[in-house]
Amino acid sequence: MKVRALALLRRPTVRQTIPDTQVKLERIEYNMDGIPMKQKDIKNLIEFATKLLVARCLPGDIRSLFYPDVNHNFHIVVKPDGRAAVLVADVDYPTQSGVSGAMGLLKDPNNVPNLSREIQRLQDPSEADKFIKLQKEIDEVKMIMVENIDKILERGEKIDDLVAQSEELDTAAKSFYKGSKKMKGCC
Amino acid sequence: MSSESPSSQPKPGASPQSIIVSRVRQLSAKVLGEALEKIAGTILIVTENSVINALEITVGTPFLKERSVEGFGLIQMESPNTQAQNLVFLINPTLPNIHRVMSIAKHTTGKKFHILFIPNELPFCKQILKDNGMANTFSRQITNWHWIALDNDLLTLDMPFVFRYTAVDGDWSPLYFLSSGILDILSVTKPRTLTRILAKGDLSSFVADRILDGLTKSDKRTPTEEDNDLPQINNLILLDRSVDLVTPTATQLTYLGLIDETVGIETGCIQGDFGPEGKKIRFFLRPNDQILREIQDKSFNAVGRSLHQKALEIAEKEKSYKDQTDMNKLRTFVKELEDLTQQHQNLAIHTKLAERTRGIISERRFHEQLEVEQSLFEQTDSIGVGGTTGSSITNAGLGGEKVPNSSAAEYIEDKMGLGVSPWKALRLMSLYTQCCTIKQKVYDNLKAAFVQTYGFHHVHTLWNAELAGILRNPGKESGEAERDKGGVWNYAKTVKNLKAVVDDDDEINPRDFAYTYASYAPISVRLVQYAFSPQRGWGLPAVDDTLRLHTTGEKHTHRLTYNTSVITASSSINLSTLLDPSATTDSRHTTQSQSHQNTTFVSVSTDTPDTLTPLSTSSVTLVVFIGGITYAEIAALRQLQKILNTTIVIATTSIITGSRLCESMKETIRNRLSWNPQMGISKR
C-alpha cells in the first residue's frame, strides 16, 4: 500500500476537455521505494498520465481513475478555480483516503504544502483520512468489545452444555399420573 | 445478582397485584428504615437466617448500609464478634427467641442492646425479661414490619410457627399480627373498596372479626380524588390450614414445589452448591427472573422442555453478535448483554436445580410413593403397592402382626424400616388417616411402629399431630361424630363434592390445577374456586356440608359451629353508622355502583346463610391461608386465576411443605435422666 506520487497542477477553467499541453504541472514529488530499476521511465510515465488525466477532467471534478499502463490509481481533484491535485497510489490504497489526501493538498490556495513531507505522511492511508482513522479506532473498540463479550459469555456454564442438559431433562420426563383407575380397568 | 433495587417503583401498566405488592413492600421498607434510624451508632443485626433473607428481598444491602448496619449475626451464636456499637435483635416475639437474646446479652459486654420486634411485641416478652432481671438491659421497639414480598402476587409473614401455636398450643397471638398485617395491605389500597369477607375456620373467623374492628376504626375517611388511582381489593377470603390438611401432606409436583420438597427454599432463597463449578451460593428467587417466571408453577415434567427452549433462545441470541457488522445492532446487543448474561446465569442455576431434583424423583421409590398417594386420593387402599415395591423388606416383627388388606399401612411401615425421616413417615400416616377410613387396630399399629422406630419422645409428636388434625384417630373421630355431626371430616364426600380427584389432565398444557399434585386438585384451592361459582358457591347446602370445618382438635371443638362466617356488603341492613357517622338514610339506599362509596359491613357470621352470591371475577381478591401454603397450592391459585380470568393476591403466614408442617409437631423434651453422649465427652 503505497502513495507513488503527489502532483499539483493548474489547468484553464474552461468546462471542456483540453489537450494536455495546456495543463501546467506546478510541482511533483515521487516516492520510488521498492522500485529497483527504470525509475526514470516510471516517473515520466506518471507525469505524462497525470497531465493527460487532468486535461480530461473538468473543473470541480473529483475522480479516482485506474490507469492500466502504470498499474496505479490516480486520485484527482480539480478545483473550480483550475487548481488540481493528483495522488497516485497503488491499487491497495483506499480510494477514500486517496481522494481526501489529494483534497488536503488544495486546502489552502495561498499556501503550497511541502510535498516531500506530505508524501511521507500520506503513506499511511488512515492519516490521509480522518474518517478512516475514526473507523479504525471503532474497529479496534469493536474487536476488544467482541473479545470481552466472548469472555463474559464463556464465564460459568457454556450455553451449549446447558442446551444439551435441558434437552436431557425434557426427554427424561416421566409422567406423574399413575392412572391407577385405568390400570384397574384393564386388569 | 442483586442488580434490581427491591423498592423500585412498578412499571406503568403493571398488574394490579404487583402494584399492591410493591406498595406493601415500600411500606415495609419505610417502617424498617424508621426503626433502624432511631438507633444511634453502628449496628450489627442479630437474627435468624430467614430474616436475613427477608431483609435482602425487602430492602437489600445498600439500604441497610446507609443506615449504618455493619453486618449480620446469627441468633444461635453465643456471642457475636463485632466492632459495631449496637446489637440489634430483629426477631419475632417467640419464647425461644427471647431466651436466645438474653443468653447473647449475658455473654457480651460493652454493647448497647436493642430488640426490634417483627412485627410487634407480646406482653410475655417484657415479663420474661423482667423475671430474669434484664428489663433494663434492652431498649425494646416494635417495627410493624409484617410482610415479605416473595413474588409480584405473594406476601408472607414468614412465621412458620403459626400452625403449631394455634393448632397445638392454643396460642392465637400470631393472629393479631396477621390481622394488623392484612389491615396494612388494605391501607395501601383504595379505602372502602373491600366489600366482602369470606372466612372458613375458627382462626379465619377470628381474623375476620379483627379486620372488621380495624376497618370500623380506621377506614372512616371517604375516598378522595387522589385515592382513585390506588389499586383496589374487593374481596377477602380467609382459610384455615386445618380446613385442608390433605394437600400439604401430598407430594408437590410443580417446579418450585418439588425444589422446596427436595432442596428446600428458605424465605425465597435456595442455598447450595448450584453456582458455577459447583460453588456454594445463596440464590434468591426474584420476580424479575424471567426463566423462573416461566417454569415456577409448571408441572416438573414440563420444566425440561421450557428450559430447553429458553436455552436455545439464549444460545441463538449469544451467537447473533459474532458476525454482526452493523454497529447499531451491535449496540443493541451490548445493551441487552447484562440482561442476557443474567438470564444465562439463572438458566445455569435452574438447570442444575432441575437436574438435582430429577435425580431424586427418577428413583423408583419416588414413583412408588406417588402411586401410593394417588391410590389414597382415590381411596383404593389396597392397590398393588406390594407389586411395585419388589425390594421392600418384610414387615414381620416391625409393626406387630400383619394387617390384612391394607397395603398402604404396610408400605408406611416398610418406609419406617428403611429409615426415612420421621417427618416423612408422619406425613404418609397423615395422608393415610385422612383419606381412608381405617380400623382402629391398623391405626394403633402404625403409631406403635412409629414410636418403636423413632423413639419414645415421639409419643408427644403423635399426640400433637392428633390434636392438630394431622393425624385422625378413627376412634375419636366417631365419638365426636355423635356429639357434633356437622364437624366430622369426610374425605370421600369432600372429594366428591369438590371434584378434587381429576386423573385426566395434561401435565404440559393443563386445563385444571390438578396437575400440581397429579390427579389431585388441592381442596383448599377448590374452596377458593367455588367462592366464585354461581352453581357451587359457598353456602349452598350440598357444598357447604363438606365445607364445614374439619378440625378435630379437642381445644376448639366448642367453636365448631362458628364455621362459615360470611360478611357481605348490603345496603338494606345497615351498619353504616359504624363506618360513617355522617351517613344519612338516603345514602343507604344506593344503587349497586354507588355502594362502593358507602360500603357497609354486615356480619352474618355463625349462621350459614341459605345462599351466598358468588364473588365477581372482575374484582380483586385477597386470599389468605392461615397456617401456611405450599408452592404447589400457589401454582394452583395462579392457574385458577387464569381459568377464571380474575385477579388474586395471595397472602400467608408462611410457605410450608408437609414435612416441615409435621416437624413442627415435635416437642422439645428436657429430661435430666436421659444420657447425652456429647455431654459426657465435653465434661472433664
Side-chain angles (χ1 to χ4, degrees), chain B residues 224-248:
Chain B
T224 58
E225 284 282 304
E226 292 152 34
D227 292 331
N228 281 341
D229 296 336
L230 293 180
Q232 306 189 358
I233 288 179
N234 311 108
N235 314 311
L236 173 61
I237 299 181
L238 298 155
L239 279 180
D240 281 22
R241 181 72 270 175
S242 45
V243 168
D244 171 18
L245 284 170
V246 177
T247 308

Side-chain angles (χ1 to χ4, degrees), chain A residues 150 157 160 174 176 178, chain B residues 319 321 344 367 374 507:
Chain A
D150 275 340
E157 279 78 2
D160 294 335
K174 190 178 164 195
F176 294 134
K178 296 296 158 206
Chain B
K319 277 161 193 161
Y321 79 95
H344 186 143
H367 283 270
Q374 287 177 24
E507 283 174 347

Side-chain angles (χ1 to χ4, degrees), chain A residues 157-167, chain B residues 311 344 347-348 351:
Chain A
E157 279 78 2
K158 296 250 166 30
I159 186 69
D160 294 335
D161 294 349
L162 293 178
V163 170
Q165 282 168 8
S166 53
E167 188 168 22
Chain B
H344 186 143
L347 177 75
T351 310

Side-chain angles (χ1 to χ4, degrees), chain A residues 94-97 100-101 125-139:
Chain A
T95 309
Q96 180 76 31
S97 308
S100 43
S126 64
E127 271 301 315
D129 191 344
K130 288 274 160 57
F131 174 75
I132 296 246
K133 200 174 161 189
L134 207 66
Q135 183 70 44
K136 204 168 143 190
E137 279 171 16
I138 291 172
D139 282 348

Side-chain angles (χ1 to χ4, degrees), chain A residues 135 137-139 141-143 145-184, chain B residues 253 276 299-301 304-305 307-308 311-312 314-315 318-319 321-322 325 327 330 333-334 337 341 344 347-348 351-352 354-355 358 361 366-367 370-371 374 378 380 383 503 505 507 515 518-519:
Chain A
Q135 183 70 44
E137 279 171 16
I138 291 172
D139 282 348
V141 172
K142 199 164 125 184
M143 218 170 68
M145 200 169 74
V146 168
E147 263 172 32
N148 282 338
I149 293 174
D150 275 340
K151 276 182 203 156
I152 290 171
L153 294 182
E154 267 165 30
R155 224 182 279 158
E157 279 78 2
K158 296 250 166 30
I159 186 69
D160 294 335
D161 294 349
L162 293 178
V163 170
Q165 282 168 8
S166 53
E167 188 168 22
E168 210 168 291
L169 274 173
D170 186 25
T171 48
K174 190 178 164 195
S175 175
F176 294 134
Y177 286 82
K178 296 296 158 206
S180 46
K181 263 186 190 163
K182 284 168 212 154
M183 294 240 299
K184 255 198 315 189
Chain B
L253 296 173
S299 162
F300 192 84
N301 279 333
R305 190 164 302 176
L307 280 179
H308 186 54
L312 288 176
I314 292 174
E318 284 188 3
K319 277 161 193 161
Y321 79 95
K322 290 257 170 174
T325 46
M327 219 39 201
L330 207 61
F333 179 81
V334 173
L337 189 64
T341 45
H344 186 143
L347 177 75
T351 310
K352 252 185 206 165
E355 273 190 328
R358 165 66 59 204
I361 67 170
F366 179 82
H367 283 270
L370 279 192
E371 215 162 301
Q374 287 177 24
E378 290 171 13
T380 44
I383 186 153
D503 66 352
D505 205 4
E507 283 174 347
Y515 77 94
S519 84

Side-chain angles (χ1 to χ4, degrees), chain B residues 134-353:
Chain B
M134 299 183 90
N136 297 320
T137 316
F138 302 95
S139 84
R140 300 192 320 278
Q141 246 193 78
I142 59 170
T143 59
N144 276 324
W145 174 29
H146 292 98
W147 298 106
I148 298 146
L150 292 181
D151 207 336
N152 287 336
D153 60 348
L154 178 59
L155 295 165
T156 174
L157 290 177
D158 208 32
M159 296 183 182
F161 47 83
V162 171
F163 181 75
R164 153 80 195 227
Y165 280 19
T166 51
V168 177
D169 302 330
D171 174 4
W172 286 23
S173 54
L175 298 185
Y176 287 96
F177 304 150
L178 178 65
S179 311
S180 57
I182 294 171
L183 287 171
D184 259 8
I185 299 176
L186 295 176
S187 76
V188 301
T189 59
K190 193 174 166 187
R192 306 179 122 213
T193 45
L194 179 72
T195 50
R196 303 176 65 183
I197 305 177
L198 307 185
K200 191 89 218 151
D202 297 348
L203 308 180
S204 297
S205 307
F206 181 81
V207 170
D209 286 346
R210 296 286 79 70
I211 289 169
L212 271 183
D213 287 353
L215 284 179
T216 41
K217 276 180 203 137
S218 70
D219 216 18
K220 279 180 184 162
R221 67 196 174 106
T222 36
T224 58
E225 284 282 304
E226 292 152 34
D227 292 331
N228 281 341
D229 296 336
L230 293 180
Q232 306 189 358
I233 288 179
N234 311 108
N235 314 311
L236 173 61
I237 299 181
L238 298 155
L239 279 180
D240 281 22
R241 181 72 270 175
S242 45
V243 168
D244 171 18
L245 284 170
V246 177
T247 308
T249 47
T251 304
Q252 307 177 59
L253 296 173
T254 58
Y255 177 70
L256 275 189
L258 260 177
I259 299 278
D260 201 10
E261 301 266 6
T262 54
V263 183
I265 303 172
E266 186 183 31
T267 320
C269 177
I270 302 170
Q271 220 163 346
D273 50 351
F274 306 107
E277 287 128 35
K279 255 186 270 167
K280 255 196 129 183
I281 53 161
R282 283 162 83 218
F283 179 65
F284 284 93
L285 304 172
R286 303 226 181 236
N288 62 350
D289 178 347
Q290 292 168 34
I291 294 167
L292 177 68
R293 184 141 299 274
E294 178 90 8
I295 59 176
Q296 59 181 356
D297 299 326
K298 284 204 159 124
S299 162
F300 192 84
N301 279 333
V303 165
R305 190 164 302 176
S306 288
L307 280 179
H308 186 54
Q309 267 164 12
K310 275 276 169 194
L312 288 176
E313 262 172 48
I314 292 174
E316 194 183 326
K317 265 192 199 158
E318 284 188 3
K319 277 161 193 161
S320 70
Y321 79 95
K322 290 257 170 174
D323 34 43
Q324 192 57 261
T325 46
D326 188 343
M327 219 39 201
N328 273 333
K329 283 184 185 158
L330 207 61
R331 195 180 60 190
T332 348
F333 179 81
V334 173
K335 263 189 195 162
E336 288 168 358
L337 189 64
E338 195 194 341
D339 181 52
L340 190 64
T341 45
Q342 184 69 63
Q343 281 201 44
H344 186 143
Q345 282 173 25
N346 290 345
L347 177 75
I349 291 168
H350 288 303
T351 310
K352 252 185 206 165
L353 280 168

Side-chain angles (χ1 to χ4, degrees), chain B residues 397-509:
Chain B
L398 258 180
E401 65 197 271
K402 205 167 177 173
V403 186
N405 290 334
S406 65
S407 46
E410 276 173 31
Y411 174 79
I412 296 168
E413 284 185 20
D414 281 359
K415 284 270 142 185
M416 291 180 194
L418 289 165
V420 299
S421 84
W423 318 121
K424 278 194 175 153
L426 182 58
R427 199 174 158 170
L428 270 169
M429 281 166 68
S430 168
L431 191 64
Y432 185 37
T433 56
Q434 289 189 88
C435 292
C436 299
T437 324
I438 55 173
K439 292 196 184 92
Q440 186 69 37
K441 200 163 90 181
V442 178
Y443 180 70
D444 289 344
N445 277 342
L446 271 176
K447 281 199 342 186
F450 190 86
V451 173
Q452 278 175 26
T453 313
Y454 299 110
F456 71 93
H457 56 286
H458 282 298
V459 171
H460 291 270
T461 311
L462 293 175
W463 169 254
N464 288 343
E466 276 185 14
L467 208 57
I470 286 182
L471 286 182
R472 296 188 187 278
N473 188 332
K476 279 199 184 146
E477 199 85 2
S478 57
E480 220 151 82
E482 281 165 36
R483 266 183 291 150
D484 184 358
K485 285 196 170 112
V488 175
W489 165 255
N490 187 335
Y491 175 79
K493 209 168 156 193
T494 309
V495 162
K496 195 172 152 247
N497 280 339
L498 296 178
K499 294 196 181 113
V501 172
V502 182
D503 66 352
D504 59 345
D505 205 4
D506 189 349
E507 283 174 347
I508 311 288
N509 300 306

